[in-house]
Amino acid sequence: MTDERELVLHNVRTVRHGLDVAAHCGSDLAALGCSRVALVTSAPLRDLCKAPLKALHEADCEALVIDSGDGEPTTDDLAAALQAAREFQADAVIGLGGGSAMDVAKLVAALYSGDQALGEVVGIDLLQGRKLPLACIPTTAGTGSEVTPIAIVEDIEARLKKGVVSPHLVPDFAYLDPRLTRSMPRGVTAATGLDALTHCIEAFTNRFSHPVVDNWALEGIRLTGEYLERACADGDDMEARSAMLRAAHLGGMCLGPVNTAAVHALAYPLGGEFHIAHGIANSLLLPHVLRFNLETSPGRLALVAEALGIARSGDDTADALEGIERIEALSANIGIERHLSSFGISENTIPHLAAAAMTVQRLLSRNPREVTEADAQAIYAAAL
Ligand SMILES: [Fe+2]
């Protein structure tokens, strides 16, 4: 909370915002001497690849489209994508899609040389380098993966999400074109938007928060509060789409230097075992974790409320509670389930969920209030 705290930022070299900016990917990669580009995406997004493929063609780059798999990526999806890229002899990688496609692309670029295997780089700062240039083109507005040093794949056999965190995963180029998010269905718009909101709130209320990052977080919260309902109500509302893409990008910028906290830690077991989409899992827990955090962070949570449009009354706790109610109303307005029980989770499951969440100490340790296993159980119970 002090500006004397050391802050390390690993930034994307070039970020292009605006309509049709993905058309620059060919010349940007060609300028680095690349001529064989592996474009990693998921099958339903093939249509959105037309513009980048045309741009690559015009820059005399050969391109191979690689399927990143359906849903959240697995270690098998990654292995298949890596093999395809190697057979093609790629010299650059583009990830086009949501967090899944971008995360696979990031790991393909990082592991392509074969110097390290996935098992050797799972964890923090274990990746030694990345030989291939990397560009990311988000088609959702949530993960901010186009700017983060993080990639996550699921090991189906171990029923575990494996996270790689390294500055070498930060892409060289990010292209933010709101038009590419237009075809996103309402449910995905809602869930990914709440993921972005959670990134911003968990960074702002984090034990490791920093004034530089605070500004990004508050702006991301403000944009989500103002525009997410609009983006969900009318997918063609380009002002809302653009604002949400910006909010997600700002949320992503918070993840590297500050990261998330208890909401994400408690959400992990819901994704890994109950296959609840990441943004939904966060939104189910967000109000309950914030109420839990209120006793340690009334001032910060009052500022979150203010960014969400709540007028300040002079009573931080009352303002913060109003802000939390605003988040609950936002979730309800965009059609997101509010209770864990809707996903088949019962009281009997809670001890197991809490035990799994306690293993995510790298995030729990960032929460402004210490979370014990009993606390985690109480938070899940409140969310039932
Ligand atoms: Fe997230």
Side-chain angles (χ1 to χ4, degrees), residues 142-143 152 192 194-196 198-199 202 255 260 264 268 278-279 282:
T143 69
I152 295 170
T192 53
L194 275 169
D195 187 28
T198 309
H199 295 158
E202 290 214 280
L255 291 180
T260 58
H264 273 71
Y268 272 134
H278 177 69
N282 283 331

